[in-house]
Structure formats: structure tokens, C-alpha cells
Amino acid sequence: MSSNNNPTAISPSGLSTITRYPAYDVMMHAEHWDEHTRQVVTARLYRDNPYRYLTTLEAESLRSWCSLLLDDERAEIIQFVLGHIDKTLSDGRGEGQRGTGVPPAGKLIRDGLKAVDATCQSLHTKRFFELDAEMQKTLMTDISGDQAEPASIWSAIPQKDLFKKLLQLSVEAYYSHPTIWSEIGYAGPAYPRGYITANPGQRDAWEAKLGDET
């Protein structure tokens, strides 16, 4: 049973989601945003474009990976994350910085997913997305610690960098989705409305309130 400090909300997909702001919906305030911002944020609710970089098998492996990484199985949220990863890799945007010997994100992730699949086939005669969650978590943990085997598969793959890149892309997508904004109580863009209340402990009327606040 949920308490006021940890209430359970039901997402549109029907899955239970723990949130301290069960009644808050950031999209109720979209009319106060400028037109460009409104279009950008609203589009995040409906993104379902064909993949431009990822193959179907790569996308299915990432679907399982990202669901476990983010601890979220909601189809519409994870599909948004996959869309973000696909667009990022397809656009080939700059990465800011990359370690010596680490390949560009597209090659790192493509080669990494091939290694993940090869490992699963070698050890379990199954693809990554066909394994049970505990087997998937074990492999992900090994990769995060640069300990995945066999070495013949992973010798050319910087495992920690692969894990970090997928973590970065997954988290930046996840926390840009309006549904997640609502669940963590983020009130969305303040421009052009702006903040009025500036005293400690006070909120503007349009900001999220905890489940036990009136």
C-alpha cells in the first residue's frame, strides 16, 4: 500500500509508477510556453519514427538494455529513449570529448551491441533480448566493470566506455520526456512566464506539489 510520501500513480500504459506528485501533469501548463518550446516538448509524447541508424535487432537489444538501466518498462517511454539514441547516432553530432582509443559513438555502440549478442549466443545460445532479466543484468554489470568475457569477443571493445555512453544517452532522453518531468515534479520551462516567488520553501502556483500538500 502506498503512503502519502510515496504514492503510486498509474501511467497511461497501465503500469504502476512511484511518484511523489501523482496529480501533477506538466502538459497542463503548455499554453504558457512559447510556441517553439510547446511544439518541441509536445512532440516528445508522440515520437514514433522509423529507425535511421539502428537495425531492428539492435533496437530490440537496446529496448531490453534501456528498460533495465532505467528501471522502467513503459513502452512509450522506452521507445522515446530508443528514438533519441537512433537520432543522435544518425545525426553524428559531436560528443564534446572522447577518450583516447575510444571510437565514435555510432561505431562504439554498433560494435558493442554485436559483442553483447555474440556473448549471449556463445554462453546461452540466445540473443540478449531473449535472456531473463537476471542474466541481462549480470552481463550489463560485467560490461560496466570491464569484465565481460570471452576476451576473444571483447578485446577490441572498450567496455566501460560502451556502458557510459549508453547510460548517458539513455538518461538524457529519459529525463527530457514530459511524463518523467511530471513524475519528478519538474514544472517544465519557466520562459516566458518566469518565477515570481523567490523565498525559500515557497513555490509558484504552477509548480508541482507533493502528494500530501494542498
Side-chain angles (χ1 to χ4, degrees):
M1 182 177 294
S2 301
S3 67
N4 283 336
N5 291 327
N6 201 20
T8 300
I10 303 299
S11 72
S13 64
L15 295 175
S16 297
T17 303
I18 302 300
T19 174
R20 302 182 71 189
Y21 307 93
Y24 189 69
D25 181 2
V26 71
M27 295 306 296
M28 292 178 61
H29 304 282
E31 64 184 86
H32 298 287
W33 305 336
D34 64 83
E35 181 62 24
H36 175 71
T37 299
R38 185 162 51 248
Q39 290 179 359
V40 169
V41 176
T42 301
R44 295 174 184 174
L45 294 169
Y46 305 105
R47 181 181 295 179
D48 189 20
N49 299 319
Y51 298 122
R52 294 186 294 171
Y53 185 89
L54 298 171
T55 67
T56 300
L57 287 177
E58 288 169 344
E60 290 311 303
S61 292
L62 281 176
R63 190 183 310 280
S64 295
W65 182 288
C66 294
S67 293
L68 284 173
L69 193 63
L70 299 167
D71 193 25
D72 197 324
E73 296 181 351
R74 287 172 290 180
E76 72 279 8
I77 301 294
I78 299 304
Q79 187 59 48
F80 173 76
V81 173
L82 297 186
H84 171 76
I85 293 175
D86 179 71
K87 185 177 187 303
T88 300
L89 300 182
S90 176
D91 291 347
R93 77 183 193 191
E95 300 176 61
Q97 61 182 8
R98 191 169 66 242
T100 303
V102 178
K107 179 173 175 55
L108 175 65
I109 291 175
R110 173 149 288 161
D111 290 350
L113 290 176
K114 287 180 181 177
V116 167
D117 220 26
T119 299
C120 296
Q121 295 278 15
S122 173
L123 298 178
H124 309 292
T125 65
K126 292 182 178 181
R127 297 188 181 278
F128 180 75
F129 57 82
E130 295 173 328
L131 299 180
D132 64 47
E134 289 306 312
M135 288 182 175
Q136 291 173 339
K137 288 178 184 178
T138 296
L139 179 54
M140 291 169 67
T141 300
D142 288 345
I143 292 171
S144 72
D146 202 25
Q147 297 179 335
E149 297 181 339
S152 58
I153 292 175
W154 288 99
S155 60
I157 309 293
Q159 299 180 40
K160 287 185 178 180
D161 292 291
L162 171 64
F163 187 89
K164 289 178 181 178
K165 178 57 66 175
L166 288 174
L167 177 63
Q168 173 204 327
L169 293 174
S170 298
V171 169
E172 70 185 22
Y174 189 74
Y175 285 103
S176 70
H177 195 284
T179 297
I180 305 305
W181 286 359
S182 297
E183 291 170 1
I184 65 175
Y186 174 56
Y191 177 84
R193 173 173 43 186
Y195 293 99
I196 299 174
T197 302
N199 295 322
Q202 294 184 330
R203 298 184 179 89
D204 283 302
W206 48 274
E207 292 187 270
K209 293 181 173 60
L210 296 174
D212 56 357
E213 288 184 316
T214 57

